[in-house]
Amino acid sequence: MKLDLDAKSAGYLLDKLREEKPLVQCITNYVSMDIMANCLLAIGASPAMVHCAEEAADFQKIASALLINVGTLSTEWVAGMKMAAGAANILQKPWVLDPVAAGATPFRTETIVYLAKLRPWVIRGNASEIMALAGAAGATRGVDSTAESSEAVELGKQLALDLRTIVAVSGKVDYVTDGTRVLEVHHGTPMLQKITATGCTLTALIAAFVSCAQDDPLVATAHAMAMFGLAGEIAEQVCEKEVVAANGPGAVRVQLIDALYTLDRSDLYTHYDVVEQMLDSPSDVSDA
Ligand SMILES: Nc1ncnc2c1ncn2[C@@H]1O[C@H](COP(=O)(O)OP(=O)(O)OP(=O)(O)O)[C@@H](O)[C@H]1O
Ligand SMILES: Cc1ncsc1CCO
Ligand SMILES: [Mg+2]
């Protein structure tokens, strides 16, 4: 079923996720495991951190979706990643790639490029990661972005076309593109950048939501980004209002989990802010 780009459709998807409780196999870095598993549980999905080569493929038989995140890479883990992605493809399960620190080292970049060519349904990274994966030199310093998400949109579109996938760039504005359409998600707070692995967690939530809307991974990804960003906003507001002298990243991290747990249609109806970029009309193009 096709989704609409509005709060009602996001609410429908949230309800569907809570009903289906998708089992998300996460092959993810050590830093992210705890917050990712807790946020998946809080929103209504079911996490399983399963990465060893001996069982990574078999686990896909019972999973609803797969997340592959290369944050703390090792040769042993890469074997599990490749097998899990292969199994997901054979079983037609949605899988999502998080190209952490793409461009930082040759081993990392080669691994990410290999996985990206295995046809993930969605690739979600910050601006530096998406630009590096698209071939821009010097885009990456480490796991944190050194660029604005808006700077990565054109390269992200090209990447989506080249890899025949959906590319999601997180940042002040999140962008989701299949190379033709570009959706803009106006949610989140800079505080999320001060909590490690919120981007990793977002990618896992994308896997969960896409598994519940397999006919429309583009809009499902935008809804996932909107809901996660909105939960971040709510978390920060709760800390500002209610927690005395403790509105830093540690407090917001706790509230983020609770905000995902309590998120409901009324939050979405009040705040949902996702728009589609309008393509230039033919006359605009010829005028330019
Ligand atoms: N300047 C900002 N303003 C508002 N929200 C932001 C901003 N920067 C990032 N975010 C939000 O923070 C969340 C994580 O995105 P981010 O781009 O920081 O991921 P990341 O760099 O991959 O993080 P990590 O590697 O730590 O997991 C997203 O929901 C994004 O929308
Ligand atoms: C800090 C860190 N280092 C490798 S992965 C990771 C989590 C944020 O991407
Ligand atoms: Mg990241």
Side-chain angles (χ1 to χ4, degrees), residues 11-193:
Y12 162 81
L13 186 60
L14 180 58
D15 288 349
K16 192 159 186 279
L17 179 134
R18 286 175 174 158
E19 208 178 288
E20 293 182 8
K21 301 181 181 57
L23 174 58
V24 184
Q25 179 181 358
C26 303
I27 304 182
T28 193
N29 65 76
Y30 300 110
V31 185
S32 67
M33 285 180 181
D34 179 85
I35 189 173
M36 183 183 291
N38 275 303
C39 287
L40 281 167
L41 278 171
I43 193 85
S46 178
M49 281 40 194
V50 177
H51 53 258
C52 87
E54 288 78 6
E55 63 172 352
D58 278 336
F59 199 85
Q60 267 302 290
K61 291 179 196 158
I62 54 167
S64 316
L66 170 68
L67 159 82
I68 297 183
N69 174 306
V70 299
T72 48
L73 265 188
S74 74
T75 304
E76 294 73 30
W77 279 43
V78 173
M81 290 172 183
K82 290 179 180 174
M83 285 195 243
N89 284 342
I90 289 167
L91 296 164
Q92 299 185 322
K93 304 274 175 86
W95 71 279
V96 175
L97 177 65
D98 192 321
V100 180
T105 66
F107 174 59
R108 183 171 291 268
T109 308
E110 282 158 24
T111 302
I112 293 168
V113 167
Y114 184 96
L115 292 168
K117 288 182 178 163
L118 296 181
R119 301 290 309 275
W121 289 37
V122 182
I123 300 175
R124 193 297 311 171
N126 63 38
S128 293
E129 291 160 348
I130 296 303
M131 289 162 78
L133 184 51
T140 303
R141 221 187 80 216
V143 300
D144 298 324
S145 188
T146 56
E148 293 292 330
S149 51
S150 55
E151 297 173 62
V153 177
E154 287 310 313
L155 285 169
K157 281 169 79 174
Q158 194 54 51
L159 191 63
L161 290 175
D162 291 347
L163 295 172
R164 287 183 290 153
T165 187
I166 289 162
V167 171
V169 189
S170 56
K172 183 169 189 284
V173 174
D174 300 324
Y175 298 90
V176 189
T177 181
D178 58 6
T180 308
R181 300 174 67 189
V182 179
L183 312 181
E184 289 184 7
V185 180
H186 296 261
H187 282 292
T189 156
M191 187 66 94
L192 288 172
Q193 289 180 299

Side-chain angles (χ1 to χ4, degrees), residues 182-219:
V182 179
L183 312 181
E184 289 184 7
V185 180
H186 296 261
H187 282 292
T189 156
M191 187 66 94
L192 288 172
Q193 289 180 299
K194 292 284 176 202
I195 307 168
T196 192
T198 50
C200 308
T201 298
L202 168 61
T203 314
L205 260 60
I206 290 171
F209 279 110
V210 167
S211 82
C212 300
Q214 299 189 18
D215 294 339
D216 202 347
L218 182 81
V219 177

Side-chain angles (χ1 to χ4, degrees), residues 2-16:
K2 286 280 171 193
L3 299 168
D4 293 319
L5 207 59
D6 59 21
K8 191 173 170 205
S9 180
Y12 162 81
L13 186 60
L14 180 58
D15 288 349
K16 192 159 186 279

